[in-house]
DNA sequence: CAACTGACCGACCGGTCAGTCAATTAGTGG
DNA sequence: CCACTAATTGACTGACCGGTCGGTCAGTTG
């Protein structure tokens, strides 16, 4: 029964559901059956908890991607591109991660929090950019840098709209049109 | 010197810069040289202020669009489509509105605030959807509903990345590739 | 002028929240 | 069984914040 882990698990959930500012430490403690003193024993302060929680969350999400990456040997550029996109769409639909992504956007859009975690965001964006560029570099008709920025932004937007739509969202159909559209643009 | 207006102007700015939860009424009062009593005289409570501020903001932003709409008579479908997209990209780059858009995303991604303003968001989304559909309906190769959802989402994502990127973002280049891509998809 | 209105003020209150700390308990090696 | 450390508790503090309230005053209206 690792209390620290317990605290973080509850924190992720409550931060995502209620928002960081609206989640008092006391609520996290209550839900994880832990005293407030212990929470501050394990984490320097609320911001420290946020940082650790955010790191853990990013780590959990990335595990999905890692499993798929193994297949990506010996494929054509087109196949690699499509599989990369499919992978991203897949990770969106993973129900248990929905909360995590919602929290991610929440932090992204809140100036105070964003600043706090800027380094982590920048690092992730850079990784994302490079992974797209490494594929698009093989395609002459692509503007590898601009198109990578564009792809990231568009996928962000689709995720955002999907995640926060309470009624069902035509994600699968959008995915198909989205991929088709990009293959056309790239002349594949 | 309309104090109520003054309060709202300051509120928009501070909400956008610091976030709603991190902006005490007292700070708004200080910046607009007004007593706390007056703020609560004009607005029922903090949520009431948020709602009015949000409405006003949406109204300011929409004014940009209205000016452009007049030109849209007698154009081909393709031209109407392109001009609609150009209009949206244009409104993004309007520097004075950057704060407003940032605040918009902030509210969108914060469950508590989002719920509070859900009706306003829904209404705006519906309008956006219809305006895209009305164009795409004229294009046989389009899946007017799905493509409209997709366009909105993608534009959201581009705006999001553009607005929160502190270094300069290749928005113009993205716009060009974006439009080109969609014309290809639609066979225009 | 007297009665009335409503914008406006700022002290104040109830409550909440992050963070502290002295005290208790559990665990561990000798 | 003891001594020492790490984990854990929850009462407590002080700052802050949303919201209230009694009251002032400039400007009507009759």
């Amino acid at each position: 029964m690792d209390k620290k882990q317990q605290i973080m698990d509850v924190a992720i959930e409550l931060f995502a559901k209620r928002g960081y500012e609206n989640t008092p430490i006391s609520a996290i403690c209550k839900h994880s059956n832990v005293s407030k003193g212990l929470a501050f024993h394990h984490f320097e302060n609320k911001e420290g908890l946020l940082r650790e929680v955010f790191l853990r969350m990013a780590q959990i999400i990335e595990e999905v991607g890692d499993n798929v990456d193994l297949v990506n040997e010996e494929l054509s550029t087109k196949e690699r591109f499509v599989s990369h996109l499919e992978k991203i769409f897949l990770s969106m639909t993973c129900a248990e991660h929905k909360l995590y992504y919602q929290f991610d956007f929440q932090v992204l859009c809140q100036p105070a929090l964003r600043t706090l975690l800027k380094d982590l965001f920048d690092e992730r964006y850079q990784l994302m950019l490079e992974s797209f560029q490494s594929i698009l570099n093989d395609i002459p008709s692509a503007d590898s840098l601009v198109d990578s920025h564009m792809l990231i932004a568009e996928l962000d937007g689709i995720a955002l709209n999907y995640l926060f739509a309470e009624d069902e969202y035509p994600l699968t159909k959008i995915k198909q049109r989205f991929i088709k559209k990009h293959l056309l643009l790239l002349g594949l």
Side-chain angles (χ1 to χ4, degrees), chain A residues 124-187:
Chain A
R124 199 176 56 188
Y125 192 90
Q126 208 53 40
L127 246 61
M128 198 99 176
L129 201 61
E130 281 163 18
S131 73
F132 269 116
Q133 276 186 283
S134 79
I135 296 176
L136 294 183
N137 274 335
D138 297 345
I139 304 171
S141 61
D143 182 338
S144 106
L145 181 62
V146 171
D147 285 355
S148 295
H149 277 299
M150 184 172 66
L151 278 160
I152 292 175
E154 290 172 346
L155 289 166
D156 266 4
I158 293 171
L160 181 67
N161 278 271
Y162 164 65
L163 287 167
F164 288 101
E166 54 286 85
D167 32 317
E168 85 289 349
Y169 191 74
L171 185 64
T172 310
K173 285 185 180 173
I174 287 181
K175 184 183 81 180
Q176 287 159 3
R177 292 290 278 178
F178 184 79
I179 292 177
K180 179 178 177 184
K181 185 180 60 174
H182 279 94
L183 292 181
L184 277 171
L185 177 69
L186 300 174

Side-chain angles (χ1 to χ4, degrees), chain A residues 1-187:
Chain A
M1 208 205 325
D2 184 349
K3 301 272 186 131
K4 184 174 176 182
Q5 206 52 249
Q6 225 169 295
I7 294 173
M8 288 178 67
D9 289 341
V10 172
I12 289 189
E13 190 184 334
L14 293 188
F15 283 167
K17 277 186 185 159
R18 311 181 177 182
Y20 173 76
E21 324 270 7
N22 286 323
T23 306
I25 300 276
S26 61
I28 298 172
C29 293
K30 197 173 292 176
H31 280 72
S32 48
N33 295 316
V34 143
S35 71
K36 206 151 69 144
L38 186 61
F40 281 97
H41 173 73
H42 284 305
F43 304 94
E44 191 191 337
N45 50 28
K46 202 184 177 187
E47 290 185 0
L49 172 60
L50 171 65
R51 242 190 120 78
E52 287 205 43
V53 155
F54 190 83
L55 268 170
R56 178 172 157 72
M57 200 191 67
Q59 184 188 323
I60 293 177
I61 288 180
E62 273 164 26
E63 283 168 12
V64 178
D66 293 345
N67 296 335
V68 190
D69 259 343
L70 305 171
V71 203
N72 264 10
E73 310 290 321
E74 296 296 335
L75 294 178
S76 75
T77 304
K78 177 180 170 181
E79 285 164 331
R80 271 167 56 220
F81 180 65
V82 172
S83 119
H84 195 60
L85 290 180
E86 296 267 12
K87 188 177 91 184
I88 292 172
F89 274 98
L90 181 67
S91 86
M92 263 186 239
T93 53
C94 176
E96 339 151 37
H97 296 173
K98 213 163 170 172
L99 274 185
Y100 303 168
Y101 279 109
Q102 284 183 6
F103 182 46
D104 203 275
F105 278 113
Q106 200 181 127
V107 175
L108 187 74
C109 295
Q110 216 162 344
L113 302 186
R114 186 198 171 82
T115 308
L116 214 64
L117 303 176
K118 177 174 168 7
D119 52 335
L120 303 177
F121 274 114
D122 286 351
E123 192 187 337
R124 199 176 56 188
Y125 192 90
Q126 208 53 40
L127 246 61
M128 198 99 176
L129 201 61
E130 281 163 18
S131 73
F132 269 116
Q133 276 186 283
S134 79
I135 296 176
L136 294 183
N137 274 335
D138 297 345
I139 304 171
S141 61
D143 182 338
S144 106
L145 181 62
V146 171
D147 285 355
S148 295
H149 277 299
M150 184 172 66
L151 278 160
I152 292 175
E154 290 172 346
L155 289 166
D156 266 4
I158 293 171
L160 181 67
N161 278 271
Y162 164 65
L163 287 167
F164 288 101
E166 54 286 85
D167 32 317
E168 85 289 349
Y169 191 74
L171 185 64
T172 310
K173 285 185 180 173
I174 287 181
K175 184 183 81 180
Q176 287 159 3
R177 292 290 278 178
F178 184 79
I179 292 177
K180 179 178 177 184
K181 185 180 60 174
H182 279 94
L183 292 181
L184 277 171
L185 177 69
L186 300 174

